Amino acid sequence: MGKQIPIPIRGLYGMIDVTDVTEGGPPSGALAQALLDGGARVLQLRMKHGGAGAMLAVLAELRGVCGDRALLIVNDRLDVALAGGADGVHLGQDDLALADARRQVPPGFVIGISTHNEAQAAAAIADGADYLGFGPIFPTSSKDRPDPVVGVARLAAVCAASRVPVVAIGGITLAAVPSLVAAGAAAVAMISAIHQAPDPVAAAGQVSAAFGVR
Amino acid sequence: MGKQIPIPIRGLYGMIDVTDVTEGGPPSGALAQALLDGGARVLQLRMKHGGAGAMLAVLAELRGVCGDRALLIVNDRLDVALAGGADGVHLGQDDLALADARRQVPPGFVIGISTHNEAQAAAAIADGADYLGFGPIFPTSSKDRPDPVVGVARLAAVCAASRVPVVAIGGITLAAVPSLVAAGAAAVAMISAIHQAPDPVAAAGQVSAAFGVR
């Protein structure tokens, strides 16, 4: 809470979804390298299936690729994040509570919270989140049961009220990025728009450039 | 490692499988009560689906039922166990490594390890497990990809070599319990033989009695 994040969360917030990867995408290490080459300085590992051991193996691979050039954040599994030497954990509204997580982590450990409306965002900030996810900004097919779309205007209001970085997420295309920069987002999390781009490094680089990163 | 478990692991090792519960079994609180009434003094919560928040809610319900009369052990999710005030965690071979888990927990926190052969059992003991699961003793349909059946003779050998309690698991019927007591098992984990019994309290009580508990 209020401490300095070792690497600023700004620009492209890279997502490594191993479910996605196993369904025909590039291997997670190659995807991580592409995101880093495109300027991402934070990577979040999501792995809905597979045990903690498998997650730790991917985490080690990602650390090998990014070294200390990027924050490594683990989705949901705080125990895996701590065991694997990740820099932080990302928690959804149905995951561990922020206070419960904070009690388990060392100083400097980053905790991000997914939020889907103004009340959740305000609560996460009050509880000491290091950054917020906010969305879905646009309609998305990445989640089975998406929360209601929030849109750019509500993103701008949340960003204006937040003293921690806000990561916009949900259905974000390359074309939409400038509007999210203008709304005050610190970063954007994009999955399909990067992963399915003909040139993921170029797509990631375009996002980074829109934020003035690199 | 080597510390005293606050409540001995002996007799019936109660399993609360919420997947099972949601598929038409009794609610988890009622099942926990039946297991306690039948003499179980340790309950393990398994919940393969559902997030950490849902798991914490069930854990709180179980704590309400058992108070400090039984150890509450959480399968796999160490972070949930710590957040929810469980007494311990149970780790499979594909979960967190024991040493990684031990670093995250306070003194007195119980860590059990699932083992499926002599080498895994020896490693778990050497690494400081507080108890072992060992099995499957008999063929079982409870797991999608069961490990090879180990049988009673190998259970006896593992029990003889173990300085921590060994919990026999896998396809155990009421009729088989005396042979497992004779083999030196400290406890038995049974799912269908208890949960599907006409009178689960009586079935649990029969197991407890075989171990001289209550």
Side-chain angles (χ1 to χ4, degrees), chain A residues 51-54 56 76-80 82-83 94-97 100 103-104, chain B residues 51-54 56 76-80 82-83 94-97 100 103-104:
Chain A
L56 285 168
D76 175 30
R77 291 288 307 240
L78 176 59
D79 47 1
V80 171
L82 290 172
D94 299 327
D95 296 336
L96 290 182
D100 286 339
R103 272 192 293 275
Q104 298 184 31
Chain B
L56 285 168
D76 175 28
R77 291 286 308 240
L78 177 59
D79 47 1
V80 171
L82 290 171
D94 298 328
D95 296 336
L96 290 181
D100 285 339
R103 271 193 291 274
Q104 297 185 31

Side-chain angles (χ1 to χ4, degrees), chain A residues 37-155:
Chain A
D37 289 347
R41 289 297 171 264
V42 53
L43 300 177
Q44 181 193 127
L45 172 62
R46 280 183 189 237
M47 207 161 153
K48 280 290 169 194
H49 311 295
M55 233 174 150
L56 285 168
V58 176
L59 201 54
E61 182 188 6
L62 296 182
R63 182 60 82 192
V65 169
C66 74
D68 57 7
R69 285 188 302 153
L71 292 177
L72 265 181
I73 308 278
V74 171
N75 186 56
D76 175 30
R77 291 288 307 240
L78 176 59
D79 47 1
V80 171
L82 290 172
D87 301 295
V89 70
H90 187 87
L91 301 173
Q93 293 289 321
D94 299 327
D95 296 336
L96 290 182
L98 201 156
D100 286 339
R102 186 66 76 189
R103 272 192 293 275
Q104 298 184 31
V105 307
F109 192 86
V110 174
I111 304 181
I113 304 288
S114 284
T115 64
H116 311 294
N117 57 52
E118 291 75 2
Q120 291 176 354
I125 294 167
D127 291 347
D130 294 303
Y131 73 89
L132 308 183
F134 187 70
I137 308 298
F138 304 110
T140 172
S141 58
S142 292
K143 290 187 78 170
D144 289 340
R145 292 166 299 164
D147 290 275
V149 168
V150 293
V152 177
R154 290 174 66 191
L155 169 67

Side-chain angles (χ1 to χ4, degrees), chain B residues 88-184:
Chain B
V89 71
H90 186 87
L91 300 173
Q93 293 289 322
D94 298 328
D95 296 336
L96 290 181
L98 201 157
D100 285 339
R102 187 65 78 189
R103 271 193 291 274
Q104 297 185 31
V105 308
F109 191 86
V110 174
I111 304 183
I113 304 289
S114 284
T115 64
H116 312 293
N117 56 52
E118 291 75 1
Q120 290 176 354
I125 294 167
D127 291 347
D130 294 302
Y131 74 89
L132 308 183
F134 187 69
I137 308 297
F138 304 111
T140 174
S141 59
S142 291
K143 291 188 76 171
D144 289 340
R145 291 166 300 163
D147 291 277
V149 168
V150 292
V152 177
R154 289 174 66 190
L155 170 68
V158 165
C159 292
S162 179
R163 53 185 163 77
V164 297
V166 177
V167 181
I169 188 168
I172 297 172
T173 60
L174 287 174
V177 169
S179 67
L180 307 176
V181 174

